Amino acid sequence: MIANDKTAVESGGSITASAVPCPNVEAPMRITSPNVAASADASALNTSKVLEGIGRSGPPTLVAVPMSWEHAPRHFLNSMTRLDMWRQCQVVYYDGGTIYEMRNQAVDDARRLGVEGILFIDADMSFHRDSLARLVEHSLPIVSGLCRARRKPYNIAAKKIIKDPLEGEDMLVDVEPDEYTRGLYNVDLVGAAFLYIRMDVFDQIKKPYFMRREIENPADGEVDRVGEDYYFCYKARAAGIPIAIDLDLHIGHITTTIVTTGDDNKNIRLELE
């Protein structure tokens, strides 16, 4: 286990966790993770941040960052150092194991820490400094920012489930609200790239919370893979737990460009790194 000299989160298996408590407004925060080699300047992880004049408080929250790559993009590191958090937040970087193992470990750690919610942030995202606060303020069990796939056609990372009118089977359809739709938007499945989950959700579903599964598509007999985030959403949906995305909270997906949503909520904007 690797941790800084302030806080250690015990993790099982091959997963290592680097944990940092979020400070109060009088103390600077250092985000550190010895397991991460930044693709830009590695010192960006050690940037001090003083929370001044945020004027917000919030529930105890674990900010969980699964590290799925050897390098973290500069835009992600900059977003993390700017992210507004309150006194009872804690940032934990997870390294090693599969993505679903890291997510499950984060839930177990959140239970031991006694927090009220967990925010998953993938290490290839960019976001505004008030993004956490905006999700928490919705007071919803499961809510995500507006994230898009990083490859064309850059679809929103969420799905609706409808019945095929001919076959009667469930089918997934893309989520693409028109430019006049704003605010919260209900979906059936959503990615976990920037996802806030209240801890009481995990009291209503059974372990494993996250898992990858291969299922046969009844329409064509092909085997489809269900990602760990959609797997979680299927469980939440079966338990009657609503899932929403905030269409006004635009989260960037980093590739060689950043894939994000235009100000009209419709056009795609690609920002060069």
Side-chain angles (χ1 to χ4, degrees):
M1 179 180 66
I2 301 175
N4 73 338
D5 58 357
K6 289 186 177 181
T7 303
V9 176
E10 297 293 339
S11 297
S14 60
I15 300 172
T16 55
S18 178
V20 185
C22 184
N24 56 34
V25 294
E26 289 83 19
M29 177 174 69
R30 290 190 173 274
I31 297 177
T32 59
S33 178
N35 295 337
V36 181
S39 58
D41 182 0
S43 65
L45 280 173
N46 299 319
T47 302
S48 295
K49 180 180 85 169
V50 180
L51 303 181
E52 294 177 347
I54 292 176
R56 289 193 179 97
S57 61
T61 302
L62 172 63
V63 178
V65 184
M67 300 304 300
S68 300
W69 304 276
E70 292 296 325
H71 300 277
R74 172 170 53 88
H75 284 284
F76 164 74
L77 302 176
N78 290 340
S79 295
M80 286 300 298
T81 58
R82 290 194 300 262
L83 183 63
D84 288 344
M85 288 178 279
W86 41 87
R87 187 177 308 185
Q88 293 176 292
C89 290
Q90 182 161 285
V91 180
V92 180
Y93 293 89
Y94 292 88
D95 190 18
T98 63
I99 181 63
Y100 61 84
E101 288 172 334
M102 289 187 280
R103 295 199 194 282
N104 285 323
Q105 184 63 56
V107 176
D108 291 342
D109 291 342
R111 286 189 182 279
R112 286 195 290 270
L113 291 168
V115 299
E116 296 181 21
I118 182 169
L119 174 67
F120 284 108
I121 305 178
D122 284 356
D124 59 347
M125 312 307 291
S126 66
F127 38 90
H128 302 288
R129 64 179 299 165
D130 64 348
S131 298
L132 168 59
R134 288 173 62 176
L135 290 186
V136 170
E137 286 168 0
H138 289 311
S139 298
L140 293 173
I142 305 173
V143 60
S144 170
L146 176 56
C147 306
R148 290 186 177 273
R150 56 184 177 179
R151 296 181 179 87
K152 289 183 179 181
Y154 309 120
N155 292 328
I156 293 175
K159 299 285 186 182
K160 290 259 193 180
I161 300 176
I162 65 172
K163 288 287 185 183
D164 186 310
L166 297 179
E167 302 295 333
E169 300 286 348
D170 285 348
M171 58 185 296
L172 302 183
V173 295
D174 292 329
V175 170
E176 198 63 55
D178 61 42
E179 62 267 35
Y180 304 106
T181 305
R182 298 282 179 163
L184 293 172
Y185 187 83
N186 290 328
V187 298
D188 294 310
L189 309 173
V190 70
F194 201 92
L195 182 65
Y196 179 80
I197 308 170
R198 279 200 328 238
M199 290 305 296
D200 61 289
V201 168
F202 300 105
D203 296 330
Q204 302 174 61
I205 61 178
K206 294 181 179 180
K207 289 186 173 183
Y209 309 118
F210 298 91
M211 182 63 67
R212 283 184 175 171
R213 284 283 188 266
E214 291 185 346
I215 59 174
E216 182 176 323
N217 188 329
D220 54 20
E222 296 292 326
V223 175
D224 296 331
R225 189 172 72 172
V226 176
E228 86 290 343
D229 39 17
Y230 281 11
Y231 177 89
F232 163 77
C233 291
Y234 275 116
K235 282 196 161 188
R237 183 173 179 267
I241 302 170
I243 302 170
I245 56 177
D246 184 341
L247 297 178
D248 296 322
L249 182 57
H250 298 169
I251 307 297
H253 202 162
I254 304 168
T255 58
T256 52
T257 60
I258 300 176
V259 179
T260 186
T261 301
D263 293 335
D264 61 0
N265 235 31
K266 185 68 175 178
N267 293 325
I268 308 301
R269 184 172 66 242
L270 302 180
E271 301 174 355
L272 293 177
E273 290 216 14

